[in-house]
């Protein structure tokens, strides 16, 4: 059974003196924003944590104008410079127990997480909350609105080896930088981030003129290729 907000308060009290704790896994307790506010105060002292899992805790349950649990916890997570594993899965975005419709709420929460994840050079595993809204190739702006800042934060994590966020949004976030084979939906987000990171590390060179020499056997399509390139 889940402990709820009251249990989170008791847990926070017990964590106050455990300043050398390395692993904390407190998933599926449905603590919500109220419980998260109590837990966040305790986590401020646990800067040495390397493994934190808070899956299934209703951290993206929006009620009124109050900040979500994810926003409340973000400043505490920001202080954990040794973090190698962070689990935030199964925290589905909803408002009053219904799927969230206003992306501005979700964007604000994910942006808070993005800020917290900056300066996390040791992070190797990251499981993100699930956002239940339609992401299609025709609506890349929605993906950029919600996941753009997070994508930029993740590009700075050279040690990241496992990433899970359910709906695979980064093919749309970085659409303008990707070749067709990577821009197709369904490609793993980790592979996309790896490609964009490598692309940016190489830098860019201004080019106003390009000379192309097409070589091949006769009747193999060189002229068609030339026409396609110029059109």
């Amino acid at each position: 059974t889940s402990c709820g907000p009251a249990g989170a308060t008791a847990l926070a009290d017990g964590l106050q003196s455990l300043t050398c704790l390395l692993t904390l896994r407190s998933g599926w307790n449905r603590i919500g924003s109220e419980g998260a506010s109590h837990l966040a105060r305790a986590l401020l002292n646990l800067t040495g944590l390397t493994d934190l899992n808070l899956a299934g805790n209703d951290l993206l349950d929006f009620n009124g104008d109050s900040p979500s649990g994810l926003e409340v916890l973000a400043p505490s997570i920001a202080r954990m410079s040794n973090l190698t594993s962070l689990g935030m899965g199964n925290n589905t975005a909803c408002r009053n127990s219904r799927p969230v419709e206003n992306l501005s709420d979700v964007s604000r929460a994910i942006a808070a997480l993005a800020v917290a994840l900056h300066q996390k050079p040791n992070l190797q595993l990251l499981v993100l909350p699930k956002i239940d809204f339609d992401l299609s190739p025709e609506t890349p702006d929605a993906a950029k609105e919600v996941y753009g800042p997070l994508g930029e934060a993740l590009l700075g994590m050279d040690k990241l080896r496992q990433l899970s966020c359910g709906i695979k949004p980064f093919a749309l976030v970085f659409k303008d930088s990707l070749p067709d084979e990577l821009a197709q939906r369904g490609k793993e987000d980790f592979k996309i981030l790896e490609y964009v990171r490598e692309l940016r590390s190489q830098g860019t060179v201004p080019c106003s003129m390009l000379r192309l020499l097409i070589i091949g056997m006769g009747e193999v399509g060189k002229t068609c290729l030339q026409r396609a390139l110029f059109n």
Side-chain angles (χ1 to χ4, degrees):
T1 59
S2 58
C3 70
T9 303
L11 175 62
D13 291 339
L15 290 173
Q16 291 289 347
S17 60
L18 301 179
T19 55
C20 296
L21 192 67
L22 298 179
T23 299
L24 176 60
R25 297 179 179 178
S26 181
W28 305 102
N29 283 310
R30 307 298 179 193
I31 64 175
S33 58
E34 180 184 349
S37 64
H38 296 294
L39 186 59
R41 288 195 292 270
L43 292 180
L44 285 172
N45 298 320
L46 304 183
T47 56
L49 275 180
T50 60
D51 184 346
L52 176 62
N53 192 314
L54 295 175
N57 275 308
D58 297 336
L59 299 180
L60 280 177
D61 193 353
F62 298 94
N63 293 295
D65 296 327
S66 301
S68 65
L70 186 59
E71 293 169 81
V72 172
L73 289 165
S76 300
I77 295 172
R79 292 167 57 92
M80 300 174 186
S81 58
N82 296 322
L83 208 59
T84 61
S85 176
L86 177 61
M88 290 287 180
N90 293 288
N91 283 293
T92 304
C94 59
R95 175 175 286 281
N96 299 324
S97 301
R98 295 184 178 182
V100 69
E101 296 180 358
N102 189 350
L103 289 186
S104 62
D105 289 335
V106 181
S107 299
R108 188 181 67 245
I110 297 298
L113 178 62
V115 172
L117 290 178
H118 276 290
Q119 306 302 319
K120 291 286 180 294
N122 298 315
L123 198 65
Q124 300 175 26
L125 184 150
L126 176 62
V127 181
L128 295 170
K130 181 181 178 183
I131 314 297
D132 278 334
F133 65 91
D134 178 48
L135 285 182
S136 66
E138 291 73 33
T139 57
D141 290 343
K144 291 179 181 178
E145 177 186 348
V146 176
Y147 285 100
L150 183 59
E152 293 297 327
L154 296 181
L155 287 176
M157 300 177 188
D158 296 337
K159 295 183 180 180
L160 190 65
R161 293 295 176 267
Q162 188 173 344
L163 172 66
S164 174
C165 55
I167 56 176
K168 298 182 174 63
F170 295 111
L172 295 176
V173 171
F174 297 111
K175 183 179 180 181
D176 296 338
S177 302
L178 299 177
D180 290 342
E181 57 268 27
L182 275 179
Q184 296 172 359
R185 291 302 312 281
K187 291 293 183 181
E188 291 300 321
D189 285 311
F190 174 71
K191 295 294 184 183
I192 290 171
L193 291 170
E194 202 172 41
Y195 174 86
V196 176
R197 186 185 297 119
E198 177 64 23
L199 187 68
R200 292 189 180 183
S201 71
Q202 296 174 1
T204 58
V205 177
C207 180
S208 58
M209 183 179 294
L210 180 66
R211 178 175 292 177
L212 177 64
L213 178 63
I214 304 176
I215 301 175
M217 301 292 289
E219 304 297 328
V220 295
K222 298 188 297 297
T223 302
C224 292
L225 175 59
Q226 178 184 339
R227 289 171 180 167
L229 290 172
F230 280 100
N231 292 330

